[in-house]
PDB file of all heavy atoms in Angstrom:
ATOM      1  N   GLU A  19      -0.306  -9.324  -6.585  1.00 46.00           N
ATOM      2  CA  GLU A  19      -0.854  -9.657  -5.328  1.00 46.00           C
ATOM      3  C   GLU A  19      -0.877 -11.205  -5.160  1.00 46.00           C
ATOM      4  O   GLU A  19      -1.202 -11.870  -6.190  1.00 46.00           O
ATOM      5  CB  GLU A  19      -2.288  -9.098  -5.259  1.00 46.00           C
ATOM      6  CG  GLU A  19      -2.936  -9.293  -3.925  1.00 46.00           C
ATOM      7  CD  GLU A  19      -4.371  -8.741  -3.959  1.00 46.00           C
ATOM      8  OE1 GLU A  19      -4.548  -7.740  -4.683  1.00 46.00           O
ATOM      9  OE2 GLU A  19      -5.206  -9.266  -3.279  1.00 46.00           O
ATOM     10  N   ASP A  20      -0.663 -11.643  -3.943  1.00 44.00           N
ATOM     11  CA  ASP A  20      -0.761 -13.014  -3.583  1.00 44.00           C
ATOM     12  C   ASP A  20       0.390 -13.929  -4.121  1.00 44.00           C
ATOM     13  O   ASP A  20       0.357 -15.132  -4.144  1.00 44.00           O
ATOM     14  CB  ASP A  20      -2.056 -13.637  -3.955  1.00 44.00           C
ATOM     15  CG  ASP A  20      -3.272 -12.869  -3.374  1.00 44.00           C
ATOM     16  OD1 ASP A  20      -3.226 -12.769  -2.141  1.00 44.00           O
ATOM     17  OD2 ASP A  20      -4.056 -12.441  -4.089  1.00 44.00           O
ATOM     18  N   SER A  21       1.427 -13.264  -4.821  1.00 39.00           N
ATOM     19  CA  SER A  21       2.448 -14.070  -5.436  1.00 39.00           C
ATOM     20  C   SER A  21       3.334 -14.713  -4.310  1.00 39.00           C
ATOM     21  O   SER A  21       4.015 -15.640  -4.627  1.00 39.00           O
ATOM     22  CB  SER A  21       3.333 -13.136  -6.246  1.00 39.00           C
ATOM     23  OG  SER A  21       3.944 -12.110  -5.480  1.00 39.00           O
ATOM     24  N   GLU A  22       3.269 -14.241  -3.023  1.00 40.00           N
ATOM     25  CA  GLU A  22       4.040 -14.773  -2.004  1.00 40.00           C
ATOM     26  C   GLU A  22       3.513 -16.052  -1.383  1.00 40.00           C
ATOM     27  O   GLU A  22       4.176 -16.658  -0.562  1.00 40.00           O
ATOM     28  CB  GLU A  22       4.285 -13.651  -0.926  1.00 40.00           C
ATOM     29  CG  GLU A  22       3.093 -13.502   0.019  1.00 40.00           C
ATOM     30  CD  GLU A  22       1.992 -12.652  -0.667  1.00 40.00           C
ATOM     31  OE1 GLU A  22       2.099 -12.279  -1.743  1.00 40.00           O
ATOM     32  OE2 GLU A  22       1.087 -12.271   0.132  1.00 40.00           O
ATOM     33  N   GLY A  23       2.324 -16.407  -1.756  1.00 45.00           N
ATOM     34  CA  GLY A  23       1.747 -17.607  -1.185  1.00 45.00           C
ATOM     35  C   GLY A  23       1.225 -17.316   0.220  1.00 45.00           C
ATOM     36  O   GLY A  23       0.648 -16.297   0.468  1.00 45.00           O
ATOM     37  N   ALA A  24       1.441 -18.264   1.177  1.00 52.00           N
ATOM     38  CA  ALA A  24       0.918 -18.066   2.464  1.00 52.00           C
ATOM     39  C   ALA A  24       1.613 -16.905   3.223  1.00 52.00           C
ATOM     40  O   ALA A  24       2.783 -16.624   2.921  1.00 52.00           O
ATOM     41  CB  ALA A  24       1.170 -19.343   3.341  1.00 52.00           C
ATOM     42  N   GLU A  25       0.916 -16.170   3.971  1.00 78.00           N
ATOM     43  CA  GLU A  25       1.464 -14.983   4.666  1.00 78.00           C
ATOM     44  C   GLU A  25       2.397 -15.472   5.755  1.00 78.00           C
ATOM     45  O   GLU A  25       2.120 -16.456   6.442  1.00 78.00           O
ATOM     46  CB  GLU A  25       0.318 -14.144   5.283  1.00 78.00           C
ATOM     47  CG  GLU A  25      -0.525 -13.496   4.306  1.00 78.00           C
ATOM     48  CD  GLU A  25       0.151 -12.369   3.523  1.00 78.00           C
ATOM     49  OE1 GLU A  25       1.192 -11.882   4.040  1.00 78.00           O
ATOM     50  OE2 GLU A  25      -0.252 -12.081   2.402  1.00 78.00           O
ATOM     51  N   PRO A  26       3.552 -14.704   5.947  1.00 85.00           N
ATOM     52  CA  PRO A  26       4.540 -15.152   6.964  1.00 85.00           C
ATOM     53  C   PRO A  26       3.881 -15.304   8.359  1.00 85.00           C
ATOM     54  O   PRO A  26       4.219 -16.218   9.135  1.00 85.00           O
ATOM     55  CB  PRO A  26       5.544 -14.018   6.902  1.00 85.00           C
ATOM     56  CG  PRO A  26       5.494 -13.466   5.572  1.00 85.00           C
ATOM     57  CD  PRO A  26       3.987 -13.631   5.144  1.00 85.00           C
ATOM     58  N   VAL A  27       3.037 -14.334   8.747  1.00 86.00           N
ATOM     59  CA  VAL A  27       2.399 -14.416  10.074  1.00 86.00           C
ATOM     60  C   VAL A  27       1.527 -15.684  10.206  1.00 86.00           C
ATOM     61  O   VAL A  27       1.462 -16.278  11.294  1.00 86.00           O
ATOM     62  CB  VAL A  27       1.534 -13.135  10.368  1.00 86.00           C
ATOM     63  CG1 VAL A  27       0.328 -13.002   9.479  1.00 86.00           C
ATOM     64  CG2 VAL A  27       1.143 -13.116  11.791  1.00 86.00           C
ATOM     65  N   LEU A  28       0.813 -16.044   9.162  1.00 88.00           N
ATOM     66  CA  LEU A  28       0.041 -17.285   9.215  1.00 88.00           C
ATOM     67  C   LEU A  28       0.861 -18.495   9.341  1.00 88.00           C
ATOM     68  O   LEU A  28       0.491 -19.445   9.987  1.00 88.00           O
ATOM     69  CB  LEU A  28      -0.929 -17.337   8.008  1.00 88.00           C
ATOM     70  CG  LEU A  28      -1.871 -16.187   7.844  1.00 88.00           C
ATOM     71  CD1 LEU A  28      -2.841 -16.461   6.624  1.00 88.00           C
ATOM     72  CD2 LEU A  28      -2.655 -15.941   9.137  1.00 88.00           C
ATOM     73  N   ARG A  29       1.967 -18.513   8.568  1.00 89.00           N
ATOM     74  CA  ARG A  29       2.913 -19.675   8.695  1.00 89.00           C
ATOM     75  C   ARG A  29       3.477 -19.765  10.048  1.00 89.00           C
ATOM     76  O   ARG A  29       3.575 -20.877  10.651  1.00 89.00           O
ATOM     77  CB  ARG A  29       4.035 -19.467   7.658  1.00 89.00           C
ATOM     78  CG  ARG A  29       3.592 -19.669   6.246  1.00 89.00           C
ATOM     79  CD  ARG A  29       4.813 -19.956   5.355  1.00 89.00           C
ATOM     80  NE  ARG A  29       5.815 -18.877   5.361  1.00 89.00           N
ATOM     81  CZ  ARG A  29       5.855 -17.896   4.475  1.00 89.00           C
ATOM     82  NH1 ARG A  29       4.939 -17.765   3.580  1.00 89.00           N
ATOM     83  NH2 ARG A  29       6.773 -16.983   4.603  1.00 89.00           N
ATOM     84  N   ALA A  30       3.838 -18.617  10.707  1.00 90.00           N
ATOM     85  CA  ALA A  30       4.410 -18.670  12.050  1.00 90.00           C
ATOM     86  C   ALA A  30       3.397 -19.147  13.067  1.00 90.00           C
ATOM     87  O   ALA A  30       3.686 -19.981  13.929  1.00 90.00           O
ATOM     88  CB  ALA A  30       4.912 -17.289  12.448  1.00 90.00           C
ATOM     89  N   VAL A  31       2.142 -18.619  12.988  1.00 91.00           N
ATOM     90  CA  VAL A  31       1.154 -19.087  13.943  1.00 91.00           C
ATOM     91  C   VAL A  31       0.806 -20.501  13.643  1.00 91.00           C
ATOM     92  O   VAL A  31       0.583 -21.318  14.686  1.00 91.00           O
ATOM     93  CB  VAL A  31      -0.112 -18.177  13.782  1.00 91.00           C
ATOM     94  CG1 VAL A  31      -1.242 -18.693  14.610  1.00 91.00           C
ATOM     95  CG2 VAL A  31       0.184 -16.771  14.185  1.00 91.00           C
TER      96      VAL A  31
END
Side-chain angles (χ1 to χ4, degrees):
E19 186 182 329
D20 304 303
S21 61
E22 76 281 6
E25 292 293 336
V27 66
L28 299 186
R29 291 199 299 269
V31 171

